[in-house]
Amino acid sequence: MFVIAILLVIAAVVLYIVGRVNDTRGLRLGAVGALLAGLFSLIVSMTYVISAYEVGVPVAFGKVGTPMSSGMHVKSPFTNVTTFSTRPVDLNLSDKDVVEVRSSQGGVMYVEVTVKWAVHPSKAVELYKLAGSEDAIQQRLVYPDSREIVRNVFARYSSEQGYATDREKINAEIATLIKDRLAPRGIDVTTVNLRNVKPSNALQDQIDRKIQQQQATERALEASRTAKAEADRRRIEAEGIARANKILNESLTDKVLMNQCIDAYKEAAAKNPVYAVPCGGGGSNPLIVDGTAGTKR
């Protein structure tokens, strides 16, 4: 725009001179119009508008100036402004950018991660010096550091912890390390999302075999527990029967047997005429005989 302004001013001067020499009013009016257009272009070239949620870094003759916040700014026509968005940007490490990691046991896994980051406005100049543009910040700083940290964290955990039991813990550790790494450079990391952890084919085969072995072990343990419980039940039942027999044998004294004999005689006599061997006679159990039927009772 500044070059256009210079050309318009030059054109205005030439038209004015030619119009004055030839006494042509139209050329003089054209010179005035060209001059006004040149001045307008010069003003435009000296102003710059920074949009909302952006920060600008002015550079004039190789010298980097102070950051420019949102709004209109006056600058030198020779100053170039590089803008950085302060809105969060998503770095998706998936598909062709998926991170291949190894566990502490050597198992290979493929990790998908999303890192949400943004430029800190006060650090825009430092980021410009480090990378030069917003895309370069992601490719030179966020991308390689995130991949390195993801690999290092997974290397401290077993395969089972990585794809199953400790994913939340690993996610929190990765987020903390990425934030600590990028914050001093002026990059605010707001969210790190460990979206998916997929074992390699070889690792998946190992996992399947381990699951089958665990299931077989559990079935064997369950069978052993069942057999032990049945054996304990039978032992307890046998011990109970033995104790009951012992108590019964100890309780059947001659006096008890005589009382039972007398009770049985009374019950039989109340129903039918009976005769019996006297209770306690002969050292054997008394015999009660139904007098009407002639059968033993």
Side-chain angles (χ1 to χ4, degrees):
M1 187 64 72
F2 177 69
V3 175
I4 295 175
I6 295 299
L7 293 176
L8 288 173
V9 171
I10 294 174
V13 172
V14 172
L15 289 174
Y16 179 76
I17 293 173
V18 173
R20 186 174 181 181
V21 170
N22 297 330
D23 193 18
T24 305
R25 187 170 180 273
L27 292 177
R28 289 197 299 269
L29 291 175
V32 173
L35 179 61
L36 292 175
L39 291 175
F40 176 78
S41 299
L42 181 62
I43 293 172
V44 171
S45 67
M46 295 179 64
T47 58
Y48 196 89
V49 177
I50 304 296
S51 302
Y53 301 103
E54 285 188 349
V55 60
V57 178
V59 180
F61 302 108
K63 184 179 180 180
V64 181
T66 58
M68 301 165 64
S69 59
S70 300
M72 181 177 290
H73 299 266
V74 178
K75 67 179 184 64
S76 166
F78 304 102
T79 299
N80 292 323
V81 179
T82 301
T83 59
F84 297 93
S85 175
T86 57
R87 290 188 176 92
V89 179
D90 287 346
L91 170 63
N92 292 312
L93 299 177
S94 58
D95 298 330
K96 63 182 182 65
D97 293 323
V98 68
V99 185
E100 181 180 317
V101 302
R102 288 185 179 273
S103 68
S104 59
Q105 302 167 327
V108 177
M109 294 173 285
Y110 302 99
V111 179
E112 295 182 0
V113 184
T114 296
V115 180
K116 191 180 291 294
W117 63 275
V119 172
H120 196 285
S122 63
K123 296 287 187 178
V125 172
E126 288 80 356
L127 287 171
Y128 176 82
K129 293 177 180 179
L130 284 172
S133 66
E134 187 173 320
D135 291 339
I137 291 174
Q138 178 160 296
Q139 292 301 319
R140 296 181 184 179
L141 302 178
V142 183
Y143 180 84
D145 286 2
S146 298
R147 293 179 66 88
E148 177 188 350
I149 290 171
V150 170
R151 291 194 189 97
N152 292 341
V153 171
F154 270 90
R156 294 196 288 268
Y157 291 86
S158 66
S159 300
E160 184 177 359
Q161 290 174 317
Y163 69 81
T165 60
D166 287 351
R167 284 183 58 171
E168 292 185 1
K169 180 180 178 181
I170 292 173
N171 194 156
E173 186 173 345
I174 291 173
T176 300
L177 292 175
I178 293 178
K179 290 177 181 178
D180 293 343
R181 174 79 66 87
L182 297 179
R185 300 178 181 179
I187 301 174
D188 292 333
V189 177
T190 57
T191 305
V192 176
N193 183 19
L194 183 61
R195 302 202 321 269
N196 187 32
V197 180
K198 179 182 178 182
S200 63
N201 293 335
L203 180 58
Q204 187 62 56
D205 291 341
Q206 295 177 8
I207 295 170
D208 293 340
R209 287 196 298 270
K210 184 177 180 179
I211 292 175
Q212 292 174 358
Q213 291 173 356
Q214 290 176 343
Q215 291 175 345
T217 302
E218 290 175 358
R219 287 194 295 268
L221 290 174
E222 182 62 27
S224 176
R225 286 192 293 266
T226 302
K228 185 176 183 300
E230 180 64 18
D232 290 341
R233 186 190 66 78
R234 291 179 179 178
R235 176 179 57 79
I236 293 171
E237 182 180 0
E239 290 175 353
I241 293 173
R243 283 195 298 269
N245 291 335
K246 181 179 179 182
I247 293 172
L248 181 62
N249 290 333
E250 291 176 352
S251 64
L252 291 178
T253 62
D254 292 341
K255 187 176 180 179
V256 171
L257 291 175
M258 182 173 289
N259 288 334
Q260 291 181 350
C261 174
I262 293 171
D263 291 340
Y265 181 80
K266 290 179 178 179
E267 181 180 355
K271 297 178 180 179
N272 300 299
V274 297
Y275 66 91
V277 178
C279 293
S284 61
N285 291 334
L287 180 64
I288 300 173
V289 180
D290 186 344
T292 59
T295 57
K296 296 179 180 180
R297 298 186 60 187

